[in-house]
């Protein structure tokens, strides 16, 4: 059940477009015990709002399962959300409010790498575990902190870049051009792409930048075409990625596009138009007609909880649901291992997780003091849009 903040609180905390989700215990958690709050800072509005919706659904379904099984430490979990509007400053303020006012035991992050990078120093300073469940910037977890409280169940740019370059080479790429969002996420991937290309002795046709506000990227694409690019390596969220496709259409340039997972975060099929399917992008999970038992059970539960989900197209982007679902179950185990909600104890509780049979994979000691990312390149799958639905690519495509 969604409850909006009273007007006074909305004035006091404008970063929030604040929505608090109070999850019914559905069974086992002890009646009368105060809930353990967990927080989500994500894009709940704008072009990437579908990403925030997916993360909310994944966390919610996992919380319902945990609460139905007795909660954590005999207490129900409760999700408190804040809208970062894809803005780093608003995201940092929202995270601070969740930690200081709401006293969340674990903070979950959303789609945007710049927002997560803004939250990382705060999480480490305040000693509150921060779990990335979408943003892929390498430096989110590899942040240089001597006392690191940042974990992730998501893709990692450096590993994704290697996978994207390998995919491109396997499909005939010899001289790619990079077209990257002009922010720290784009910079992270530029470095990763260049390392992956250098390892193979391949040159690149150039690096072009795009902005969220761009309505036409023909000039950037023309420079890459004139430089001999035979494939585009794309990094951008929904809006700029859609503009790349529409600009390619205007140019009549039929060039392969190999992309990070930004297009999955919103209405890409609608915004990019009929040629959205030309963009091949990476994911960590996709619901299909034939999932494993856990996937089928979760898909069924999602349809029951959200009547608007009628077909597989309605669970796009599945990656947000899956990452969030597994991350919440891992966080619940970390709190249980800690025996309380103290930040340091919960952080160490993540290290103590030995085994979890999750949706994306079977996790075996997913975190150690030297490894804060639970997923690796073996957990990636290549996909594209078909009629607004994200579909795995076949080996022939």
């Amino acid at each position: 059940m969604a409850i909006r903040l009273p007007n006074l609180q909305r004035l006091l905390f404008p970063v929030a477009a604040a929505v608090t989700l109070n999850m019914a215990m559905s069974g086992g958690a002890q009646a009368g015990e105060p809930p353990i709050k967990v927080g989500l800072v994500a894009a709940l509005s704008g072009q990437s709002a579908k990403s925030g919706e997916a993360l909310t659904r994944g966390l919610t379904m996992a919380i319902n399962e945990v609460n139905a099984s007795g909660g954590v430490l005999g207490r129900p979990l409760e999700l408190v959300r804040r809208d970062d509007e894809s803005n780093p400053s608003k995201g940092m303020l929202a995270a601070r409010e969740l930690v200081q006012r709401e006293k969340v035991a674990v903070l979950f992050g959303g789609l945007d790498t710049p927002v997560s990078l803004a939250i990382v120093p705060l999480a480490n300073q305040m000693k509150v575990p921060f779990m990335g469940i979408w943003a892929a910037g390498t430096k989110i977890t590899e942040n240089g902190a001597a006392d690191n409280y940042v974990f992730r169940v998501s893709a990692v740019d450096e590993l994704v870049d290697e996978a994207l370059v390998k995919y491109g080479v396997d499909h005939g790429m010899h001289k790619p051009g990079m077209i990257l969002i002009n922010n720290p996420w784009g910079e992270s991937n530029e470095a990763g792409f260049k390392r992956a290309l250098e390892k193979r002795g391949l040159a690149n046709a150039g690096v072009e930048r795009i902005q969220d506000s761009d309505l036409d990227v023909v000039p950037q694409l023309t420079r890459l075409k004139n430089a001999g690019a035979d494939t585009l390596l794309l990094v951008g969220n929904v809006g700029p990625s859609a503009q790349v496709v529409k600009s390619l259409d205007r140019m009549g340039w039929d060039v392969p596009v190999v992309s990070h997972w930004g297009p999955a975060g919103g209405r890409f099929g609608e915004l990019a138009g009929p040629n959205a399917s030309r963009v091949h992008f990476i994911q960590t999970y996709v619901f299909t007609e034939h999932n494993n038992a856990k996937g089928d059970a979760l898909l069924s539960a999602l349809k029951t909880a959200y009547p608007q989900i009628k077909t597989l197209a309605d669970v796009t982007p599945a990656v947000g649901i899956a990452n969030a679902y597994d991350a919440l179950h891992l966080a619940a185990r970390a709190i249980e291992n800690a025996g309380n909600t103290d930040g340091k104890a919960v952080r160490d509780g993540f290290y103590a997780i030995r085994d979890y049979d999750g949706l994306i994979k079977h996790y075996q000691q997913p975190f150690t003091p030297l490894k804060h990312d639970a997923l690796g390149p073996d957990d990636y799958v290549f996909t594209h849009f078909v009629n607004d639905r994200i579909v795995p690519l076949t080996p022939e495509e």
Side-chain angles (χ1 to χ4, degrees):
M1 179 174 64
I3 302 175
R4 294 196 176 277
L5 286 177
N7 289 337
L8 176 59
Q9 288 180 317
R10 288 174 66 81
L11 288 172
L12 288 173
F13 303 106
V15 298
V19 182
T20 300
L21 300 181
N22 296 314
M23 301 304 165
M25 285 188 285
S26 310
Q30 295 177 16
E33 288 295 319
I36 295 174
K37 293 181 180 181
V38 296
L40 171 65
V41 177
L44 305 178
S45 61
Q47 290 181 333
S48 296
K50 284 183 71 70
S51 70
E53 177 185 80
L55 296 175
T56 299
R57 289 176 174 179
L59 292 171
T60 299
M61 301 314 296
I63 285 172
N64 288 345
E65 291 178 6
V66 170
N67 287 349
S69 298
V72 178
L73 306 177
R75 298 163 59 185
L77 295 179
E78 177 184 306
L79 176 63
V80 188
R81 302 189 306 170
R82 296 292 184 266
D83 186 1
D84 62 34
E85 301 177 38
S86 297
N87 182 300
S89 297
K90 291 183 178 181
M92 184 175 65
L93 289 172
R96 184 180 295 277
E97 193 259 320
L98 286 175
V99 171
Q100 293 183 326
R101 181 181 176 84
E102 299 292 346
K103 309 295 184 186
V104 298
V106 177
L107 188 64
F108 293 92
L111 173 74
D112 297 280
T113 286
V115 176
S116 289
L117 288 174
I119 294 172
V120 164
L122 177 72
N124 285 332
Q125 176 189 359
M126 303 187 78
K127 301 186 184 304
V128 174
F130 176 39
M131 172 66 77
I133 46 177
W134 200 312
T138 303
K139 295 300 181 184
I140 293 170
T141 47
E142 297 179 17
N143 54 59
D147 207 13
N148 189 2
Y149 281 74
V150 184
F151 298 87
R152 180 161 44 192
V153 177
S154 185
V156 183
D157 279 346
E158 190 157 355
L159 301 179
V160 168
D161 297 334
E162 170 65 26
L164 294 177
V165 168
K166 181 181 184 302
Y167 181 87
V169 169
D170 289 347
H171 288 76
M173 181 180 79
H174 297 286
K175 190 179 182 182
M178 301 178 216
I179 187 151
L180 314 174
I181 190 68
N182 189 24
N183 68 20
W185 186 37
E187 294 168 6
S188 171
N189 285 280
E190 179 183 355
F193 281 142
K194 287 182 174 178
R195 281 191 291 270
L197 291 169
E198 287 169 4
K199 187 169 77 172
R200 292 167 172 81
L202 294 178
N204 69 77
V207 180
E208 294 289 338
R209 306 290 180 185
I210 50 177
Q211 306 284 351
D212 283 329
S213 58
D214 282 343
L215 299 178
D216 185 345
V217 295
V218 168
Q220 296 97 311
L221 292 171
T222 299
R223 286 192 289 270
L224 293 176
K225 182 179 182 181
N226 291 341
D230 60 15
T231 303
L232 295 180
L233 296 174
L234 171 63
V235 176
N237 285 330
V238 176
S241 295
Q243 293 304 332
V244 168
V245 174
K246 290 194 286 189
S247 293
L248 287 171
D249 289 345
R250 284 193 287 273
M251 295 170 63
W253 187 19
D254 185 16
V255 63
V257 183
V258 181
S259 174
H260 210 312
W261 61 9
R267 299 177 293 117
F268 181 71
E270 172 191 338
L271 294 172
N275 283 326
S277 63
R278 73 188 298 166
V279 179
H280 293 189
F281 58 94
I282 210 160
Q283 297 279 268
T284 53
Y285 188 84
V286 181
F287 287 104
T288 68
E289 300 290 351
H290 304 286
N291 308 290
N292 61 20
K294 191 178 286 284
D296 283 340
L298 179 57
L299 183 58
S300 177
L302 282 163
K303 289 180 177 179
T304 300
Y306 303 98
Q308 61 270 43
I309 297 178
K310 301 184 186 305
T311 69
L312 290 175
D314 299 325
V315 290
T316 297
V319 62
I321 294 172
N323 290 358
Y325 177 88
D326 278 1
L328 190 285
H329 275 293
L330 290 168
R333 282 161 171 73
I335 297 170
E336 197 74 52
N337 289 341
N340 57 61
T341 58
D342 173 73
K344 184 179 185 304
V346 175
R347 191 272 307 271
D348 293 345
F350 279 107
Y351 300 147
I353 298 171
R354 293 290 173 259
D355 183 88
Y356 166 58
D357 188 16
L359 178 65
I360 297 172
K361 64 184 287 186
H362 189 102
Y363 298 85
Q364 294 179 302
Q365 191 157 22
F367 305 109
T368 72
L370 297 178
K371 182 173 78 77
H372 281 216
D373 279 289
L375 300 181
D378 292 340
D379 306 311
Y380 301 156
V381 58
F382 279 90
T383 66
H384 67 156
F385 271 92
V386 176
N387 298 325
D388 291 329
R389 176 183 157 197
I390 296 174
V391 176
L393 287 158
T394 64
E396 296 77 29
E397 290 179 296

